[in-house]
Amino acid sequence: MKKLLLISVSMLTLIACSEQEAYKQAVFEQISHDPDIKSYHLDPEVITECIVDLSSKKMPGIAPFEPMRKKAYQGYTRMISLKKAEKPAEVLSELREHFGSAQGLADAHMNYSKCYLECISTVTNRALDDAEDDTEAEPIQ
């Protein structure tokens, strides 16, 4: 019985990881083409990790393998990839249905956008702090 439970939990975790990985890949693709990221010379991988971690905290569901969380990852992935869709109007309609309403979609988009801005700000400030620490460490001649 314990083995069956362990296998079931392991399978659910793997499935959830694949949904999260697809979300992470969609975020990375968007971030790596973002002109702000390029102009500030920020690492797209660091920004991606930050956005995925931060936005996941505000998604429905508690655990990554929960069906609600899996559905949220799928919705966020489609939402981020909307610009690449052949028929964006249809995908937008499907996203409204997926998130329960237009307001639900707007809330998800707001969550993603806030996390995006917060992560860029945090990583940029860290880089500035590191640069400041480097200049303070140089001896005065």
Side-chain angles (χ1 to χ4, degrees):
M1 185 65 176
K2 288 182 182 181
K3 287 182 182 180
L4 183 60
L5 181 63
L6 181 61
I7 290 170
S8 298
V9 170
S10 297
M11 290 300 292
L12 286 173
T13 303
L14 286 174
I15 291 169
C17 287
S18 69
E19 299 300 330
Q20 184 180 20
E21 202 55 44
Y23 174 52
K24 189 182 291 186
Q25 184 62 36
V27 172
F28 180 77
E29 286 177 22
Q30 182 188 33
I31 294 299
S32 60
H33 294 83
D34 189 319
D36 290 335
I37 302 297
K38 290 178 181 180
S39 67
Y40 286 111
H41 306 289
L42 301 174
D43 184 0
E45 290 182 23
V46 173
I47 300 291
T48 298
E49 285 293 327
C50 179
I51 291 172
V52 170
D53 289 343
L54 202 56
S55 64
S56 294
K57 290 178 183 175
K58 296 178 184 169
M59 287 181 185
I62 298 170
F65 54 83
E66 213 175 322
M68 288 174 60
R69 179 63 61 95
K70 179 182 173 184
K71 184 179 176 187
Y73 281 135
Q74 291 170 343
Y76 273 68
T77 301
R78 292 197 69 201
M79 178 181 70
I80 293 168
S81 304
L82 180 63
K83 290 181 182 178
K84 295 179 184 177
E86 288 183 26
K87 298 180 180 178
E90 286 180 18
V91 174
L92 190 59
S93 177
E94 291 171 9
L95 284 170
R96 285 185 193 117
E97 188 176 313
H98 182 88
F99 286 103
S101 66
Q103 184 60 46
L105 175 59
D107 291 343
H109 193 271
M110 186 180 308
N111 177 34
Y112 178 80
S113 298
K114 282 182 179 180
C115 294
Y116 170 87
L117 292 173
E118 189 171 328
C119 288
I120 287 180
S121 174
T122 300
V123 172
T124 303
N125 286 336
R126 273 192 222 146
L128 291 172
D129 289 345
D130 290 346
E132 189 175 288
D133 290 344
D134 288 345
T135 58
E136 289 176 4
E138 292 178 14
I140 299 175
Q141 297 178 356

